[in-house]
C-alpha cells in the first residue's frame, strides 16, 4: 500500500465549528489531492497541491481551505462546517510523472450535525 | 468540460457469469483513462491505465479496453471476491487532475 494516512478516520462535529482533516504521506510525492465522495456525485476534487505552499482549487472548493507546509502533510480545513459538508473525504497522492495514477488513503467519514 | 459516464450503476452476477462494465467519456486532451476498484470503507485502488484507442490490459479475471469514446472493463468468470465498486477516471492535461465517473457497483453471488 502507498504510505498514506488520513486522520481522523471518523469525526462528528456541530454546524458552525471549524474542522481540520490531515493527510500524511511517506512517499515524498509532489502532488496531493483532497476529494469528497457522496452518493450520486462520485468523487469530486476539492483542492490539490503541486508542492510545498503551492495549492489550487478544485471543482467544489467553497467552504474549504488547505495548507501544505511540508511535503508529507496536506491539511484540509472546513472553516465553519455545514450539514452539506457531511461526506467521506479522501486524500490522494501522485508521482510527478506523466499519467501516473492516484493512490488514495482510506478516507475520513465526517458527519456535521 | 471533461465528462465521464459509467453504466450500469449496479450489476448483479452469479459466480462464473461473465459481463462488461462501460465507461463513456468526452475529453479535450486525453492523458490517460484509469480504472480503480473500491471496496466498502476503503479508498479506491488503482487497476489499469489506458492511453490510446485499441489498447488492452489484463489482470486476473479483468480486462480493460479503450476506444476513442469509451472503455470497457470485462470480467470473465467472476468470483464473489470481485464484488466492489469499479470507478473510471480521466486524467486531463491540467495539473494532473482527474475526473471520475460515479462508478458501477458489482455484486457477485456464489
Amino acid at each position: 500500500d502507498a504510505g498514506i494516512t488520513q486522520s481522523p478516520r471518523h469525526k462528528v462535529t456541530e454546524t458552525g465549528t471549524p474542522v481540520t482533516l490531515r493527510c500524511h504521506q511517506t512517499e515524498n510525492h509532489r502532488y496531493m489531492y483532497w476529494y469528497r465522495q457522496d452518493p450520486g456525485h462520485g468523487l469530486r476534487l476539492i483542492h490539490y497541491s503541486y508542492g510545498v505552499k503551492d495549492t489550487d482549487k478544485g471543482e467544489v472548493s467553497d467552504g474549504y481551505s488547505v495548507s501544505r507546509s511540508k511535503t508529507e502533510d496536506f491539511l484540509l480545513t472546513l472553516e465553519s462546517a455545514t450539514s452539506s459538508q457531511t461526506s467521506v473525504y479522501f486524500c490522494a497522492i501522485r508521482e510527478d510523472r506523466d499519467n501516473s495514477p492516484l493512490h488514495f488513503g482510506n478516507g475520513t467519514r465526517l458527519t456535521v450535525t | 468540460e471533461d465528462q465521464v459516464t459509467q453504466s450500469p450503476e449496479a450489476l448483479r452476477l452469479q459466480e462464473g457469469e461473465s459481463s462488461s462494465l462501460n465507461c463513456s467519456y468526452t475529453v479535450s486532451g486525453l492523458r490517460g483513462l484509469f480504472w480503480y476498484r473500491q471496496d466498502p470503507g476503503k479508498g479506491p485502488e488503482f487497476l489499469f491505465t489506458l492511453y490510446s484507442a485499441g489498447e488492452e490490459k489484463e489482470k486476473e479475471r479483468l480486462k480493460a479496453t479503450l476506444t476513442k469514446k469509451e472503455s470497457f472493463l470485462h470480467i470473465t468468470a467472476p468470483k464473489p471476491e470481485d464484488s466492489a465498486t469499479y470507478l473510471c477516471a480521466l486524467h486531463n492535461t491540467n495539473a494532473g487532475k482527474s475526473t471520475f465517473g460515479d462508478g458501477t457497483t458489482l455484486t457477485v453471488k456464489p
Side-chain angles (χ1 to χ4, degrees), chain A residues 13-65:
Chain A
T13 192
E14 293 185 349
T15 298
T17 61
V19 176
T20 296
L21 308 183
R22 181 181 184 239
C23 178
H24 178 79
Q25 63 150 328
T26 58
E27 306 296 319
N28 201 37
H29 287 344
R30 178 182 173 197
Y31 289 98
M32 298 185 77
Y33 305 80
W34 277 107
Y35 285 87
R36 61 178 288 175
Q37 188 173 40
D38 304 286
H41 291 282
L43 280 158
R44 292 180 292 173
L45 182 64
I46 306 171
H47 281 281
Y48 66 101
S49 171
Y50 44 95
V52 173
K53 299 192 188 305
D54 291 324
T55 65
D56 205 349
K57 296 179 179 179
E59 61 182 303
V60 290
S61 60
D62 286 349
Y64 301 95
S65 62

Side-chain angles (χ1 to χ4, degrees), chain B residues 87-99:
Chain B
L87 300 169
C88 168
L90 293 175
H91 178 112
N92 62 34
T93 59
N94 192 7
K97 294 187 291 184
S98 296
T99 302

Side-chain angles (χ1 to χ4, degrees), chain A residues 4-5 7 11 13 19 27 40 54 56 69-70 73 86 89 99 107-108:
Chain A
I4 309 169
T5 305
S7 59
K11 185 168 182 68
T13 192
V19 176
E27 306 296 319
D54 291 324
D56 205 349
S69 58
K70 298 186 289 185
D73 290 325
T86 292
Y89 291 86
N99 298 316
T108 293

